Amino acid sequence: MPEWLKDAVFYEIYPPSFRDENGDGIGDLNGITARLDYVRDLGCNALWLNPVFDSPFLDGGYDIRDYKKVAPRYGTEADLVRLFAEAHQRGIRVLLDLVPGHTSDTHAWFQASCRAEPNEYWGRYVWTDHPFAGIAGHPYISGMKERAGSYMLNFFASQPALNYGWLNRTEAWMSAVDAPEALATREAMKDVMRYWLDRGCDGFRVDMADSLVKNDDENKSATAAIWRDVRSMLDRDYPEAALVSEWSNPVQAINGGGFHMDFYLDHVGNGYNTLLRDYEAGGADRSYFRKDSGGDIRRFLDDYLPKYENTRSRGYISMFTCNHDTPRPARTLSADEMKLYFAFLMTMPGVPFVYYGDEIGMKYADVPTREGGYQRTGSRTPMQWDHSPNLGFSIARAEDLYLPVDTAPDAVTAADQEQDPESLLNTVRKWIAVRHGYADLQADASFAVLSAAGQEVFAYQRGKLVCVLNPSGTAKQLRAGQLKGKKLLSVTGKAELSEESVLLGPQSFALLG
Ligand code: NOJ
């Protein structure tokens, strides 16, 4: 387990939308490098970059044409290597996005696999042996290629599934998980990982990590075995490299697959949604962090605690603000509500992730779809730096921008919020600094619930520290023996301590120690 994860706070960057350094309207690697001081000053010491590889961009770059080539629109391999070096100089690690489950249908491997004559890549993707037979229960395409078969999709129609084999094989054309062609796919993906690790990257966020072996069992044990094999390569050759999975089943991903971290996603299970996004279930918004929503923290804990207890000795659950697939928190939360969420995020166990722009409360924008984003596009608009043209994102003409910038007169910017000590940005900086300041707030330090009921004070212990949170609009008190002798270490809102009780003002959070 890489030691550095204990104190890691990640910042996710969607590359086309962060900073356009060459003025062509789309963000680039040199733009990210130029803004690394901002990331460092925020307190983030690790980055996750969405895919930066050659791609036709029918799915924001998750449709890879060449795993070992930087997309020309983002720059060159030399730019990426320089980004790694500049980040490392500032104490920032960099994770790239690994997409192991599928490629673009323009990838050379896939083109070869489509030929009528068998060749080295015939078994690289999931193909049936007959063009008139489908794949029960799975999406597939037939009749488009020379090869007499149908091929399976892993996501959009342009993303054919790579072949890691089938656990439960019901057809002759299904490869076994240890068939040579399935093993060759796995080795090809390890080769991609080594390629970038050898050039200075610090690990990977793994896309759809649970999707590799088809007809896997309910524990996804055959897929997990592949990741354990990858983990042993890392332990042996790259012990400082980190892996975070898009799996959202920490027991399977961490305990089974050996991932260091697994995301606590919004679209699998409902723990995250009960905190920030209860509106997705329909009806009244009962999100816990919405002031006076009547939300109940126990709905989150019921989901989170068993997962935490089951995995805490082996890895970390990663909570986040949102990501490039999900609505930004500002869609429904006010700045004050977000401040409390950040204080909570930075004091919970596991490794937290901040999505670019959430630290200033960027809006979920109403914009047309771009590159297969659909409703996700609203969370992918350009970073809002300052009040120079295009909010400091790019000097290109507005009509040439990757996505429109927020043109509202009150659009939030990092520069404005720098000036205001009470801004969301400065509050986020404060809580990230607090996290770095106490060993008891690190990813692996102990966590125990002290008090949890509805929107009353939620109190939890981290080592010897106590965190108390009142998201509601009315002052709330908590009395507990564990508060005795404690002092206020850091506060957002208002808190008063006396003997064995704390009085928290409306919408307040305090760290006691
Ligand atoms: C999850 C990624 O986060 C998403 O953006 C992408 O479209 C799918 N996986 C397919 O790769």
Side-chain angles (χ1 to χ4, degrees):
M1 173 66 80
E3 269 291 299
W4 62 270
L5 286 177
K6 288 187 180 175
D7 190 37
V9 178
F10 274 86
Y11 192 71
E12 179 194 346
I13 292 179
Y14 188 67
S17 296
F18 197 58
R19 162 73 192 163
D20 168 23
E21 203 65 9
N22 68 0
D24 63 356
I26 187 157
D28 43 44
L29 294 171
N30 288 341
I32 296 171
T33 304
R35 299 297 158 108
L36 286 172
D37 285 351
Y38 173 82
V39 175
R40 179 200 54 204
D41 294 347
L42 183 61
C44 290
N45 52 13
L47 289 176
W48 155 30
L49 308 182
N50 296 112
V52 294
F53 314 108
D54 187 33
S55 165
F57 292 101
L58 295 179
D59 183 18
Y62 283 91
D63 47 331
I64 294 174
R65 179 162 48 207
D66 185 344
Y67 287 98
K68 294 184 180 173
K69 183 177 173 200
V70 169
R73 74 186 205 180
Y74 295 141
T76 62
E77 181 172 306
D79 295 333
L80 184 54
V81 169
R82 192 169 71 87
L83 190 163
F84 295 148
E86 292 282 335
H88 293 160
Q89 270 179 23
R90 291 166 177 78
I92 299 171
R93 318 259 178 168
V94 185
L95 300 199
L96 296 178
D97 215 314
L98 183 77
V99 186
H102 48 268
T103 65
S104 158
D105 56 6
T106 59
H107 194 295
W109 297 341
F110 185 67
Q111 309 265 306
S113 87
C114 293
R115 289 193 199 115
E117 290 305 312
N119 59 64
E120 187 190 342
Y121 297 103
W122 248 47
R124 182 57 51 93
Y125 296 82
V126 179
W127 280 89
T128 69
D129 57 4
H130 206 291
F132 304 116
I135 309 177
H138 299 280
Y140 64 90
I141 290 184
S142 343
M144 299 291 287
K145 308 289 173 189
E146 243 176 44
R147 177 170 172 174
S150 308
Y151 61 91
M152 183 173 165
L153 303 174
N154 219 35
F155 199 67
F156 286 154
S158 64
Q159 291 159 313
L162 284 160
N163 183 20
Y164 293 85
W166 296 66
L167 185 63
N168 178 14
R169 294 159 64 214
T170 52
E171 306 285 342
W173 51 263
M174 294 176 171
S175 303
V177 285
D178 57 357
E181 62 277 15
L183 294 176
T185 307
R186 183 196 303 197
E187 291 310 312
M189 212 44 64
K190 284 157 77 178
D191 174 59
V192 167
M193 297 175 80
R194 300 182 80 98
Y195 184 86
W196 291 112
L197 290 165
D198 288 343
R199 279 156 186 75
C201 103
D202 299 289
F204 301 91
R205 173 269 187 184
V206 179
D207 187 73
M208 294 173 67
D210 61 335
S211 73
L212 305 192
V213 174
K214 308 307 178 193
N215 283 3
D216 205 345
D217 62 19
E218 58 175 356
N219 297 319
K220 303 245 169 125
S221 45
T223 298
I226 293 177
W227 291 114
R228 279 201 307 281
D229 176 40
V230 169
R231 170 72 185 265
S232 55
M233 172 182 89
L234 296 187
D235 286 351
R236 189 183 62 234
D237 298 335
Y238 306 93
E240 287 292 287
L243 282 184
V244 54
S245 47
E246 186 196 35
W247 193 314
S248 206
N249 188 323
V251 175
Q252 290 179 1
I254 296 172
N255 298 359
F259 276 92
H260 301 107
M261 303 167 269
D262 184 36
F263 283 120
Y264 194 64
L265 290 175
D266 66 316
H267 52 270
V268 188
N270 206 28
Y272 175 95
N273 291 338
T274 67
L275 296 173
L276 302 188
R277 200 178 292 148
D278 199 46
Y279 59 83
E280 284 192 343
D285 185 346
R286 311 287 280 181
S287 304
Y288 174 72
F289 279 90
R290 283 205 67 178
K291 181 175 124 181
D292 302 326
S293 64
D296 190 334
I297 192 67
R298 288 172 297 196
R299 291 194 302 147
F300 160 72
L301 293 171
D302 287 349
D303 183 75
Y304 173 82
L305 280 176
K307 293 176 178 160
Y308 167 71
E309 290 298 341
N310 269 324
T311 54
R312 69 192 168 98
S313 61
R314 295 186 187 219
Y316 307 124
I317 295 177
S318 280
M319 292 203 283
F320 50 84
T321 57
C322 78
N323 70 21
H324 62 289
D325 292 333
T326 66
R328 287 188 180 274
R331 184 177 187 180
T332 49
L333 299 192
S334 69
D336 284 342
E337 288 164 344
M338 284 186 278
K339 285 177 187 174
L340 297 185
Y341 181 66
F342 274 102
F344 163 82
L345 184 64
M346 294 307 156
T347 51
M348 285 291 283
V351 179
F353 281 65
V354 177
Y355 184 55
Y356 83 97
D358 282 342
E359 73 279 14
I360 55 172
M362 270 173 59
K363 275 187 205 153
Y364 173 74
D366 183 14
V367 288
T369 181
R370 174 96 209 231
E371 299 182 345
Y374 303 103
Q375 71 270 28
R376 307 176 295 182
T377 313
S379 295
R380 299 177 178 184
T381 55
M383 176 66 185
Q384 298 167 196
W385 295 102
D386 54 38
H387 290 288
S388 63
N390 302 319
L391 300 182
F393 164 63
S394 166
I395 56 163
R397 294 179 314 171
E399 57 270 36
D400 293 335
L401 298 182
Y402 177 72
L403 282 169
V405 296
D406 189 349
T407 52
D410 61 348
V412 293
T413 67
D416 287 344
Q417 294 195 17
E418 290 263 352
Q419 307 307 316
D420 172 5
E422 300 301 319
S423 66
L424 179 59
L425 175 63
N426 280 318
T427 305
V428 173
R429 283 181 176 161
K430 171 172 105 170
W431 284 106
I432 295 179
V434 166
R435 182 178 181 91
H436 292 314
Y438 296 97
D440 277 350
L441 291 181
Q442 292 202 336
D444 64 334
S446 70
F447 168 77
V449 173
L450 199 58
S451 181
Q455 267 195 334
E456 298 302 313
V457 175
F458 173 41
Y460 48 102
Q461 288 177 284
R462 298 295 319 276
K464 292 194 204 58
L465 304 173
V466 178
C467 302
V468 286
L469 163 62
N470 171 20
S472 79
T474 49
K476 298 267 164 84
Q477 186 159 30
L478 175 77
R479 190 171 289 283
Q482 289 87 341
L483 302 181
K484 197 171 174 177
K486 293 273 188 279
K487 293 193 180 57
L488 289 172
L489 298 178
S490 196
V491 180
T492 282
K494 234 175 137 227
E496 281 169 33
L497 258 181
S498 59
E499 246 322 79
E500 294 189 358
S501 86
V502 61
L503 180 65
L504 277 177
Q507 295 194 291
S508 297
F509 186 99
L511 177 71
L512 319 176

